Amino acid sequence: RLYELGPCVESMTSVKPLAFFVPHEHSGILSLKENSIHDFVDAESKVTILTDSVRYFHYIPFCDVLISKCGINTILPLFAQLGMKFSNGENFTNLASISIEILQNMLSLSEKAQHNFYECDGFLILNHLLMKADDSILSYSIYNQFFNLFNEISDIHLKKQIFDVILMNVGLWMKCDAENHRRILRHWSKSLVPTFNEITIQVRSFSWMLSALRAYYWYNPIETNIAINEKRCRNQASFNVKDCRNSIMNIAEFISSVKFDDDDFVDLISHILTCTDHEQIVDLLSLLSKLIRDHKEILLNLSHSTKLVPLLQYLLNISNVPVISSALQTICDAHYYQIFNEFPIDIHI
């Protein structure tokens, strides 16, 4: 009957108890506090209550011990065992997925754990271990798990850390096969960057995107002092350079609509004039023309860098029809949208 009534003192009016108590805990000591029973107990009843305080053991959940006593960074060695095999020689194929799930559960339980993981550069260490791991471990599925983990994090500093060194780390995801890498870049362009634009602007710049295009997404590996990963991705034969470059350039355009200055414009002109991969030059001229046409107001607010537009005429010395055609189109766009008006277009041409 008392159990059904629940812990509400007012419900005692319907019962005639001899006594009732409320348990109290302080510093590991459990005691029972006798409540006033004059309103509920028969006045003629004579009951003597004797109580003693009892010391008891407070059970601490395993996850609390792991986070607060051992430290969340103690699970990082799991990621150093990603090539582990069972005793029969079979690969532990889902160890990476399980390890990320454990990390996500721990970080989601405690903001303190998130802060501690940031303080010990947890994701930088994790990135190092993943870079050392076998390429076959990384895939779009693993990337998506990290994205879900990113969404569970509330600490802004840790959020930036995973965004920078894991989610948008080109070198890391270049270890995937060609199709998984393409899907990851599509996710950057369609979901990650537009949704988390504030963090994107803080950790990535327009100029960073240009450097990534030239270092990782070349058409021909002729710039040996700049190009990284001559053997890009697994199944390189199916590596869709054009599609990957489009995703990166879409991100660059998005960033430019929020944050773009003279240094970014100078970098763009510099890449166009110094790149020796002609197909890349055409892509960059196309990007510049798109900025001129669609983001005219941004370029007009620049203080001096737009005066570099006439330098594009030097591209006419290259014996490549697509480059010459794209250069002329960009110069005409600059005049038409009055990005450059130091002298009229007829004299320029």
Side-chain angles (χ1 to χ4, degrees), residues 290-347:
K290 189 170 181 58
L291 293 178
I292 292 172
R293 294 192 304 268
D294 299 341
H295 304 284
K296 170 186 174 181
E297 66 286 349
I298 295 174
L299 300 184
L300 290 176
N301 287 330
L302 300 180
S303 60
H304 61 277
S305 59
T306 52
K307 295 180 180 179
L308 298 175
V309 171
L311 294 178
L312 297 178
Q313 66 196 35
Y314 289 103
L315 296 174
L316 304 182
N317 297 318
I318 297 177
S319 299
N320 184 282
V321 174
V323 171
I324 294 174
S325 177
S326 297
L328 288 172
Q329 181 62 59
T330 303
I331 292 172
C332 291
D333 287 341
H335 280 283
Y336 181 81
Y337 290 95
Q338 299 181 333
I339 301 301
F340 175 78
N341 53 17
E342 297 296 319
F343 42 81
I345 187 173
D346 55 340
I347 295 177

Side-chain angles (χ1 to χ4, degrees), residues 191-329:
S191 179
L192 181 66
V193 170
T195 305
F196 301 97
N197 54 81
E198 291 186 8
I199 294 181
T200 300
I201 300 303
Q202 292 174 32
V203 302
R204 291 291 180 265
S205 66
F206 180 86
S207 294
W208 188 94
M209 292 297 164
L210 296 181
S211 297
L213 282 171
R214 195 165 175 182
Y216 291 97
Y217 303 100
W218 33 263
Y219 290 101
N220 300 296
I222 56 180
E223 297 184 304
T224 55
N225 61 327
I226 297 176
I228 299 174
N229 285 351
E230 185 174 344
K231 296 181 178 180
R232 298 170 299 187
C233 295
R234 287 172 283 126
N235 304 327
Q236 181 172 319
S238 61
F239 188 71
N240 192 330
V241 178
K242 189 68 175 178
D243 194 75
C244 291
R245 287 181 67 87
N246 285 338
S247 293
I248 296 294
M249 288 193 293
N250 286 339
I251 296 172
E253 182 186 356
F254 176 85
I255 292 175
S256 71
S257 67
V258 181
K259 183 182 179 182
F260 192 83
D261 56 25
D262 283 286
D263 290 338
D264 292 321
F265 191 86
V266 170
D267 277 348
L268 178 55
I269 296 295
S270 175
H271 280 291
I272 291 173
L273 295 177
T274 61
C275 185
T276 56
D277 187 346
H278 294 164
E279 289 182 85
Q280 286 195 63
I281 296 174
V282 173
D283 283 350
L284 294 175
L285 285 169
S286 175
L287 175 61
L288 177 54
S289 289
K290 189 170 181 58
L291 293 178
I292 292 172
R293 294 192 304 268
D294 299 341
H295 304 284
K296 170 186 174 181
E297 66 286 349
I298 295 174
L299 300 184
L300 290 176
N301 287 330
L302 300 180
S303 60
H304 61 277
S305 59
T306 52
K307 295 180 180 179
L308 298 175
V309 171
L311 294 178
L312 297 178
Q313 66 196 35
Y314 289 103
L315 296 174
L316 304 182
N317 297 318
I318 297 177
S319 299
N320 184 282
V321 174
V323 171
I324 294 174
S325 177
S326 297
L328 288 172
Q329 181 62 59

Side-chain angles (χ1 to χ4, degrees), residues 31-260:
S31 60
L32 298 177
K33 179 182 178 182
E34 183 180 355
N35 282 48
S36 175
I37 60 173
H38 298 299
D39 296 331
F40 310 125
V41 180
D42 188 344
E44 297 182 357
S45 299
K46 294 181 179 180
V47 179
T48 300
I49 304 297
L50 299 176
T51 63
D52 289 316
S53 296
V54 178
R55 179 173 294 278
Y56 74 103
F57 180 77
H58 178 65
Y59 289 94
I60 303 175
F62 172 76
C63 59
D64 289 349
V65 174
L66 188 59
I67 293 173
S68 61
K69 305 300 181 182
C70 302
I72 190 170
N73 55 314
T74 56
I75 71 164
L76 284 172
L78 285 175
F79 293 92
Q81 308 298 323
L82 297 182
M84 181 184 295
K85 297 179 181 293
F86 291 108
S87 58
N88 61 2
E90 293 183 5
N91 291 321
F92 194 165
T93 55
N94 60 342
L95 178 58
S97 178
I98 294 173
S99 299
I100 296 170
E101 185 177 352
I102 292 172
L103 179 60
Q104 178 175 341
N105 290 337
M106 292 178 68
L107 289 175
S108 63
L109 286 174
S110 169
E111 290 189 4
K112 182 179 179 181
Q114 295 181 26
H115 178 73
N116 291 342
F117 202 66
Y118 166 75
E119 288 291 324
C120 73
D121 291 329
F123 284 116
L124 278 77
I125 298 172
L126 182 51
N127 169 62
H128 172 76
L129 295 174
L130 291 174
M131 290 296 291
K132 294 291 184 182
D134 188 86
D135 292 356
S136 61
I137 290 170
L138 295 176
S139 64
Y140 179 78
S141 175
I142 291 297
Y143 165 83
N144 203 45
Q145 276 195 272
F146 277 117
F147 177 67
N148 293 333
L149 169 56
F150 168 79
N151 285 321
E152 291 287 339
I153 295 172
S154 57
D155 185 284
I156 188 59
H157 300 294
L158 187 62
K159 216 170 180 67
K160 290 180 184 178
Q161 190 180 94
I162 184 177
F163 192 96
D164 181 22
V165 303
I166 300 293
L167 290 181
M168 288 200 72
N169 185 336
V170 176
L172 177 63
W173 301 114
M174 195 62 80
K175 289 163 65 68
C176 294
D177 63 43
E179 176 58 22
N180 276 276
H181 186 81
R182 185 191 67 84
R183 292 179 65 191
I184 289 170
L185 294 193
R186 281 286 186 92
H187 186 268
W188 287 6
S189 176
K190 302 294 184 181
S191 179
L192 181 66
V193 170
T195 305
F196 301 97
N197 54 81
E198 291 186 8
I199 294 181
T200 300
I201 300 303
Q202 292 174 32
V203 302
R204 291 291 180 265
S205 66
F206 180 86
S207 294
W208 188 94
M209 292 297 164
L210 296 181
S211 297
L213 282 171
R214 195 165 175 182
Y216 291 97
Y217 303 100
W218 33 263
Y219 290 101
N220 300 296
I222 56 180
E223 297 184 304
T224 55
N225 61 327
I226 297 176
I228 299 174
N229 285 351
E230 185 174 344
K231 296 181 178 180
R232 298 170 299 187
C233 295
R234 287 172 283 126
N235 304 327
Q236 181 172 319
S238 61
F239 188 71
N240 192 330
V241 178
K242 189 68 175 178
D243 194 75
C244 291
R245 287 181 67 87
N246 285 338
S247 293
I248 296 294
M249 288 193 293
N250 286 339
I251 296 172
E253 182 186 356
F254 176 85
I255 292 175
S256 71
S257 67
V258 181
K259 183 182 179 182
F260 192 83

